[in-house]
Amino acid sequence: MANLEKTSREIHKVLRATWRCYDVDTEHCDKAGVGDAVRQRALCTDLTIVGPALLNETSLGPLVINGSLFDTGKPVFVVPEGAEATLSPRRVLVGWDSRVEASRSIREALHLLAGAEEVRVAVVDPEATCTGKGAEPGADIAAYLTRHGARVWVDRLASRGKPVATVLAQHAIDTSADVIVMGAYGSRWLRERLSGSVIRWIVGTPLPLFLAR
């Protein structure tokens, strides 16, 4: 409790200097109540930001992401250790596979995408993931983003047996992206295993992730 109050005072000090309206809330609960405590607050926000300190807490990080992302429908901005966080990125990589979650992530991130100098829409193994007839994979979402003022390029990538997430992360590095925008697929299987490979991938990704579902 003492550490919690100390951290709260430090955050108050930082926010007071910005001359913005703000509120700092603290909650002391057991692990079973973490997800619900986060959910209640995330419901009344535009975006939840999860930083490296929480991500490195393997017992808390998954609970916070579950509570803020899977239980609210609100987007989450995940910032791994060493990543430079910005909500005004110059270059953005979008992971696109024609699924609802990917579409929602783009809609929630439109303000980032429309203001970026470059948006790369990455489609991995498009024959397997895109079912549109008569159009190049990714052309539909590129047209949508263009109508909203984004400067869009479509990159069609082959996984060559690698996980799609790994391909996206490497392409983000290759294209000097500042942020990755992608859908979070919130099945119960994923939620139960979020403390495993998914969290390790998020922590190991050197870029911020804008996630929605």
Side-chain angles (χ1 to χ4, degrees), residues 90-162:
R90 295 177 58 195
R91 297 182 179 87
V92 183
L93 179 74
V94 174
W96 178 248
D97 61 2
S98 298
R99 293 177 65 175
V100 171
E101 291 85 350
S103 177
R104 182 169 176 80
S105 72
I106 288 173
R107 187 182 68 187
E108 293 287 353
L110 269 179
H111 58 295
L112 275 74
L113 301 171
E117 294 179 7
E118 179 179 288
V119 176
R120 315 287 303 205
V121 175
V123 186
V124 181
D125 295 337
E127 293 80 9
T129 58
C130 298
T131 58
K133 296 180 180 179
E136 290 292 330
D140 48 0
I141 196 63
Y144 170 78
L145 287 169
T146 299
R147 294 188 194 107
H148 283 276
R151 304 167 183 85
V152 186
W153 286 260
V154 177
D155 299 327
R156 301 174 183 94
L157 311 172
S159 66
R160 295 185 174 87
K162 298 179 182 177

Side-chain angles (χ1 to χ4, degrees), residues 2-69:
N3 287 335
L4 191 62
E5 292 302 323
K6 180 176 181 291
T7 301
S8 177
R9 289 193 299 270
E10 291 171 350
I11 294 172
H12 267 291
K13 184 177 179 180
V14 171
L15 293 176
R16 193 180 302 119
T18 68
W19 296 92
R20 296 178 181 272
C21 294
Y22 71 90
D23 181 42
V24 178
D25 197 6
T26 60
E27 182 81 25
H28 189 264
C29 57
D30 57 23
K31 288 184 181 179
V34 170
D36 189 58
V38 172
R39 181 190 65 82
Q40 291 181 33
R41 288 153 180 81
L43 282 171
C44 300
T45 65
D46 296 317
L47 179 69
T48 299
I49 300 175
V50 181
L54 268 177
L55 289 176
N56 290 333
E57 283 281 349
T58 55
S59 61
L60 289 179
L63 299 176
V64 171
I65 293 178
N66 279 343
S68 57
L69 180 63

Side-chain angles (χ1 to χ4, degrees), residues 69-92:
L69 180 63
F70 294 111
D71 295 336
T72 67
K74 299 296 186 73
V76 172
F77 192 62
V78 181
V79 185
E81 190 167 1
E84 184 175 344
T86 177
L87 292 176
S88 300
R90 295 177 58 195
R91 297 182 179 87
V92 183

